[in-house]
Structures are given as structure tokens and as C-alpha cells.
Amino acid sequence: MRVARHQQHWIAFSTIVTREVRRFLRIWAQTLLPPAITMTLYFIIFGNLIGARIGDMGGFSYIEYIAPGIIMMAVINNAYANVASSFFSAKFQNHIEELIVAPVPNYVILAGYVAGGTARGLFVGLIVTVVALFFTHLPVQNLLLTFSVVLLSAILFALGGFINAIYARSFDEISIIPTFILTPLTYLGGVFYSISLLPDFWQHVSMLNPVLYMVNAFRYGLLGASDINLWLAFGIIVLFIAALSWYALHLLDKGTGLRK
Amino acid sequence: MRALSIQQLHKTYKNGFEALNDIQLEVEQGDFFALLGPNGAGKSTTIGIITSLITKTSGRIQVFDADLDTDRELAKSYIGLVPQEFNFNGFEQVKHILITQAGYYGVPAKEAETHADELLKKLGLWDKRHSSARALSGGMKRRLMIARALVHQPKLLILDEPTAGVDIELRRSMWTFLRDINRQGTTIILTTHYLEEAENLCRNIAIIDKGQIIENTDMKSLLNRLDRETFVLDLKQPLTDLSALADLCCHQVDSTTLEIELCRSESLNSLFNRLSECGIEVASMKNKANRLEELFLTLVESSETQQ
């Protein structure tokens, strides 16, 4: 039975997503459990133990203030790590050839992997949210806004993970970007503090950090408080998604790291 | 209709190595075609370009009239590839590997499952369908690669040394399977180092050396060109004196083994008559080398001399 080309693309896309979801569920002890444990420790140490001595921040208790940032941090890291490790493993074990040989357009390959990474980001985000509810109350001010920010942020970092995996030639090279770029950006992206506490100069420097916009837009969706303009945050996230999508497709079309 | 048409194909790698130089090749629909050549001759590069794993420098490739540059998806949908190296995800279940591959080709889930089940049964992998691929034996992994290449029912199957490292029993059963699917209409292109395999299975043949096709013909005409064959005879009694056979082109390997080279014009009957006259009894006889192997070596050596 022959199906129309757009149906073939849809089947190929859902096949990639299914395989990616099956993969992160199969290795749940490496993918789902660690963020749950790490984020629980964050809530215990920064939220309960240290947070109780810090007092209020931006009109909220400290633990309430950092909870959105911690959830967002888990989403970002997991969306990134899923695509980076899965796509690089496929290259490393050569089973990426299954996809290159098949009549799957590059945009479907990219969309499939990004959707898989996004799914893991959201899944982990949900787990961490449940953990957070054991420690604090999370009033959702705007559900649609909250969900769209977390979704777009997961997509953005899944794209980042994909580009990292395309360039990577060893497993070391897929941990360099998370260690030296992603972690500092996240920690300096207003997860644990309001940038209004910083001197003017560092406030302006912080504005160059895209993670700041995601964390704050997400915090606004949950708590109704933000250090930055909401539309600017959306604009920046969408702009980054467009730029990284274009670049990732360009790399796939060139066959960088995939074809000799 | 042509299953594959390659015109003026060139490939030069970034380091300047010219892997393919003006390859022209045509394979008819329904053919069982051998692409032979020594290591590094350009076989895998040619297959890599046909299957989009390697980017060509220039040239044109059509698969069942679909151009690989302008109608890439259609051209790719016709091809099934069994590569030289195992390249499946060892952590995935055998059946998932097949269903996933079918999904990449846009085969709906139910249809994919039916095809996967059929192939798993035909190739003796049914009992292992829920095992992870890395737990399979070497022979089973080879069969899994064939099943994966066939799960979307390709019109052109390309096998790059499919029986490397496979024991003789399994190799023979794979030959039977491949002959069956070829009979059912699938065009097959085979590269192999076992020339006996090519001689047994293939109707047409191309020999590639140093990036160029040095021979492209049908198997029968190629084998007809073989003007000498060497036979190894096991004798019933030890032979002490070879002088009676001095006019024959022969060489005594040990006391009970004799190698005799015969021209095509000479018959085996006259050889045996001659041996009987000399009181030499033959227990068994075999070809010293596979016929295609002798020709292959001659062709590759003469191509090297010319260059």
C-alpha cells in the first residue's frame, strides 16, 4: 500500500519520536531519576535550609521564587542532553545511517529528534514540578503562558543539543557545551536570584543571557513576577529557535559530521 | 527498465584521493548483479554514493528512472541496503529495529508489523524478536541486516559483502533466500570477496579497480574467456616418476597430489585416458581455484600492468 508523501513524512516523524521516547523511558534510571534527585536536593538545601534564612525575594518566599527557575533548569538541561546524547550515539554506533539511507527529508529528521528531546524536557519538568509541590505552593497565574514558555524553551535547547551532536566527534565533546556554556548560563540566568539585586553593569550583562528570558517568562506564568518584559522574552526565544533551526538544517543539508 | 543507471560518476575525497573515476554502470530490472573488486577499489564508495551515505563529486545516478539529485526521496524509497558493518542500535529489540526502519520509509504501522513478522519468520529470527540486537549471534545479526533492508519491500536490494564471516551452512541458506527474492522480482546488486558466491548467484558482473570499471559483462561470457584451468588430483597410489607426463603442464605437490593445468581446447576425457595409460588412478579431483577467481586475478593484474 503506497501512501501520499506528506503521510510518509508524518509516519517517519512519529517513528523517530516514538523511538526517542521509548529510549528515554527504557533508560529511566539515567534520564528521569537523576533530575528528580538533584532537584529534590536543590529544594532541600537552597529552598528549606538556606532559603529560610534569606527571607523574601521579589515579594515571594525564597523557595517559591526559585521553584520556577529550578523546573526550567531541569527542562532545559534534559531537552538538550536527550538530543545531544541520542543523536551522537546514533552517529557513534552508525545507526544514523538507517535514517540517511531512508527517504526522510532533513526537516523531518530534525523535527523528530527535537520533538523527542522536548518530550523528555517536558516529562522531567512535570516530575520536578511534582517534587516542588512537596516543598512549596505553586500558584499558576497563566497556564497557557506557562506551558508555551516551557515548550518553546525545551524546543530551543533541543535544537542546541542537536547542533552539538552534529559537530561532536567524541562523547567528551557532547559534555563540553553543557559544562562550560549551558550550566553557567543557567546559574547566571536568574534561577536563584532576581537580577535587580545586581549592580547596573551586571544587570545589563545578564540581559544578554537568553536563559534569563526563559526563566523569567516562566516565573511570570506561575507567580506573576518577572525581571524582564514578557513580549521581549517571547521574541528572543522565537528568534533563537528560528536561527538554530535554520543552522541545524543547513548542517544536515551539507551532511556535516554525517556524510563523507 | 533499468534498476540503476550510473553516468560519469566521480568521487575525490578532501585529501585529494580519487576514489572513483568516471564510473558508468547499468543494471537491468530483475538482475542479480555482482560488483567485484579488490579492497579499496571503489565498491563501497560507489554503494555509499548510491545510498546517499557519501556525497559524490560529480555524475548522475538514477534508480528506476528517479534521479537521485532531483527526485531524491523517490529514488531512495526503491533501495534497500545491507551494509558491510553492523549498523543497528544494539540496545533495541529486534522487532523494533524492523518496525522503526519501515516507519522511516513511511510504511503504516500495521503493514510494517506484518512485513516484519514475515521476515523474522523467513530468516529464522522469530524466536529472537523480543531480544536486544546485541544479544544475537554473528549470523543472526547478518540476517537481521537483511530483514531490515527488506522490510519496506525495496525494488533494488544492495548487499555489501553480506556473508563476510558467516559459516558455510548459513551462507548457503542466505544464497537460497536471495535467489528466492530475486526470482520474486527484486533486483539485487552484490559485492563480495567470495567469488564462488558471485559465480553461483549473479548473472551479470562488473569489476572495479582503482576507481574504474575494468570489466562489465554477463557471467557466462566472462567465464568463457577463461582459457586455462588448474585441477588438483588426489591419486590412489603414490607417484614416483613424473617423466611419463612430461608433455603435460603438471606439477607434483606431494607423492599423492598432482596439479595439472589444462587449456579449454583439451578435454578431461583425454586427460583421464592419458592418466589411465600411465597406470595412474585418480581418487578425486577439484579445481585449484574458483573459475571466477582465476579470471578476476588475471583482469586485476592486467589492469595494474596497464597503469
Side-chain angles (χ1 to χ4, degrees):
Chain A
M1 185 177 76
R2 286 274 163 210
V3 295
R5 198 167 277 197
H6 71 275
Q7 276 177 289
Q8 284 185 16
H9 293 177
W10 173 252
I11 293 170
F13 168 78
S14 45
T15 301
I16 300 171
V17 179
T18 307
R19 196 204 54 206
E20 286 301 289
V21 172
R22 198 168 53 219
R23 175 188 165 275
F24 78 70
L25 291 177
R26 185 180 66 227
I27 51 170
W28 60 272
Q30 294 170 50
T31 52
L32 305 178
L33 193 59
I37 293 173
T38 312
M39 298 309 161
T40 304
L41 291 171
Y42 275 127
F43 283 119
I44 293 171
I45 297 164
F46 292 108
N48 274 3
L49 300 179
I50 300 174
R53 290 165 188 256
I54 291 175
D56 283 2
M57 188 162 294
F60 299 92
S61 69
Y62 187 63
I63 193 165
E64 221 174 352
Y65 185 83
I66 66 168
I70 287 176
I71 295 168
M72 183 56 96
M73 191 159 77
V75 171
I76 285 172
N77 286 337
N78 282 277
Y80 189 96
N82 196 73
V83 185
S85 64
S86 175
F87 195 75
F88 180 73
S89 295
K91 270 174 55 175
F92 187 76
Q93 295 181 61
N94 288 331
H95 62 85
I96 193 64
E97 289 177 2
E98 292 174 339
L99 262 175
I100 298 173
V101 166
V104 186
N106 288 336
Y107 81 88
V108 174
I109 296 177
L110 179 66
Y113 270 95
V114 168
T118 304
R120 175 165 149 198
L122 296 180
F123 204 92
V124 169
L126 188 67
I127 292 173
V128 177
T129 305
V130 172
V131 170
L133 290 173
F134 284 102
F135 295 90
T136 183
H137 171 62
L138 281 176
V140 181
Q141 299 295 329
N142 187 331
L143 185 63
L144 184 65
L145 176 75
T146 308
F147 184 71
S148 37
V149 173
V150 82
L151 178 69
L152 290 173
S153 304
I155 290 173
L156 172 53
F157 278 87
L159 281 163
F162 190 87
I163 293 168
N164 188 174
I166 281 191
Y167 279 116
R169 282 162 300 173
S170 67
F171 279 101
D172 287 344
E173 289 181 10
I174 57 167
S175 65
I176 287 174
I177 303 284
T179 309
F180 295 104
I181 297 177
L182 202 55
T183 306
L185 283 181
T186 319
Y187 278 78
L188 299 171
V191 171
F192 297 103
Y193 56 85
S194 163
I195 58 164
S196 60
L197 298 178
L198 300 173
D200 274 358
F201 174 76
W202 289 109
Q203 279 193 34
H204 286 113
V205 172
S206 296
M207 299 300 266
L208 299 173
N209 180 358
V211 177
L212 178 84
Y213 297 89
M214 294 167 209
V215 168
N216 274 282
F218 187 58
R219 185 175 285 138
Y220 185 85
L222 287 176
L223 307 180
S226 168
D227 287 340
I228 45 98
N229 178 296
L230 200 63
W231 294 113
L232 181 64
F234 266 103
I236 284 178
I237 297 170
V238 170
L239 192 73
F240 267 97
I241 289 177
L244 293 191
S245 300
W246 173 83
Y247 191 60
L249 280 175
H250 170 70
L251 292 175
L252 280 175
D253 289 341
K254 265 176 60 185
T256 306
L258 299 173
R259 282 201 294 267
K260 292 176 200 161
Chain B
M1 187 187 242
R2 287 196 184 97
L4 177 71
S5 164
I6 300 180
Q7 289 151 33
Q8 297 172 316
L9 185 64
H10 288 260
K11 173 66 186 176
T12 306
Y13 285 99
K14 274 184 181 168
N15 61 8
F17 173 68
E18 190 180 39
L20 300 179
N21 178 13
D22 199 22
I23 298 284
Q24 313 272 356
L25 194 65
E26 281 177 351
V27 178
E28 291 297 323
Q29 180 172 14
D31 201 355
F32 206 136
F33 191 93
L35 181 62
L36 306 181
N39 283 332
K43 304 182 298 289
S44 294
T45 302
T46 307
I47 288 175
I49 293 172
I50 298 168
T51 53
S52 309
L53 292 169
I54 297 175
T55 313
K56 66 181 190 295
T57 304
S58 63
R60 190 173 182 213
I61 295 173
Q62 287 171 294
V63 184
F64 289 96
D65 288 343
D67 193 293
L68 204 56
D69 289 323
T70 55
D71 205 353
R72 196 171 193 79
E73 281 182 47
L74 185 62
K76 280 172 144 190
S77 71
Y78 292 137
I79 302 173
L81 172 68
V82 181
Q84 228 176 82
E85 309 286 340
F86 298 132
N87 69 343
F88 42 73
N89 184 349
F91 296 99
E92 281 206 63
Q93 284 183 20
V94 168
K95 192 170 171 179
H96 282 161
I97 288 174
L98 299 193
I99 291 174
T100 300
Q101 185 72 6
Y104 293 159
Y105 284 81
V107 180
K110 274 195 176 171
E111 205 180 322
E113 183 146 4
T114 312
H115 294 172
D117 287 352
E118 276 171 18
L119 285 164
L120 288 169
K121 284 173 190 163
K122 268 189 196 168
L123 285 157
L125 293 167
W126 181 249
D127 293 341
K128 299 283 179 185
R129 64 191 182 282
H130 299 308
S131 307
S132 66
R134 65 187 167 150
L136 299 182
S137 68
M140 285 178 173
K141 284 177 181 165
R142 286 269 164 221
R143 280 179 277 160
L144 172 60
M145 303 259 278
I146 294 177
R148 187 186 60 180
L150 289 171
V151 73
H152 65 283
Q153 302 185 309
K155 290 164 84 172
L156 172 63
L157 178 66
I158 300 175
L159 302 124
D160 195 0
E161 297 186 28
T163 53
V166 164
D167 68 49
I168 188 70
E169 194 188 345
L170 179 59
R171 197 182 309 160
R172 302 266 166 175
S173 76
M174 277 162 78
W175 290 1
T176 310
F177 179 78
L178 293 174
R179 267 195 208 104
D180 281 349
I181 60 164
N182 177 244
R183 234 175 263 133
Q184 286 158 23
T186 309
T187 308
I188 299 180
I189 297 176
L190 170 81
T191 81
T192 178
H193 280 298
Y194 301 110
L195 299 184
E196 182 202 359
E197 185 165 273
E199 190 181 334
N200 265 297
L201 294 171
C202 301
R203 287 187 287 278
N204 290 296
I205 180 170
I207 298 178
I208 185 169
D209 188 35
K210 294 193 170 64
Q212 289 181 311
I213 301 282
I214 57 170
E215 190 57 70
N216 186 0
T217 183
D218 64 284
M219 190 69 79
K220 252 189 187 165
S221 349
L222 186 67
L223 292 173
N224 278 339
R225 271 198 246 160
L226 190 66
D227 56 351
R228 301 192 81 80
E229 270 185 277
T230 308
F231 296 97
V232 180
L233 310 181
D234 288 322
L235 309 179
K236 280 199 166 172
Q237 287 96 29
L239 186 65
T240 47
D241 183 15
L242 203 62
S243 58
L245 302 173
D247 57 320
L248 289 176
C249 188
C250 63
H251 157 68
Q252 192 169 1
V253 179
D254 56 45
S255 62
T256 57
T257 312
L258 200 59
E259 276 184 16
I260 297 186
E261 201 177 302
L262 275 191
C263 289
R264 278 185 74 83
S265 54
E266 295 170 297
S267 75
L268 282 172
N269 297 44
S270 59
L271 170 68
F272 278 108
N273 287 340
R274 184 71 195 285
L275 293 171
S276 301
E277 283 166 17
C278 300
I280 300 171
E281 275 191 276
V282 178
S284 66
M285 181 179 89
K286 63 177 181 187
N287 281 74
K288 185 179 181 188
N290 168 266
R291 293 181 302 166
L292 184 56
E293 199 169 303
E294 290 198 13
L295 260 173
F296 176 79
L297 291 171
T298 314
L299 286 166
V300 171
E301 276 163 17
S302 74
S303 139
E304 277 168 8
T305 319
Q306 281 165 21
Q307 283 169 15

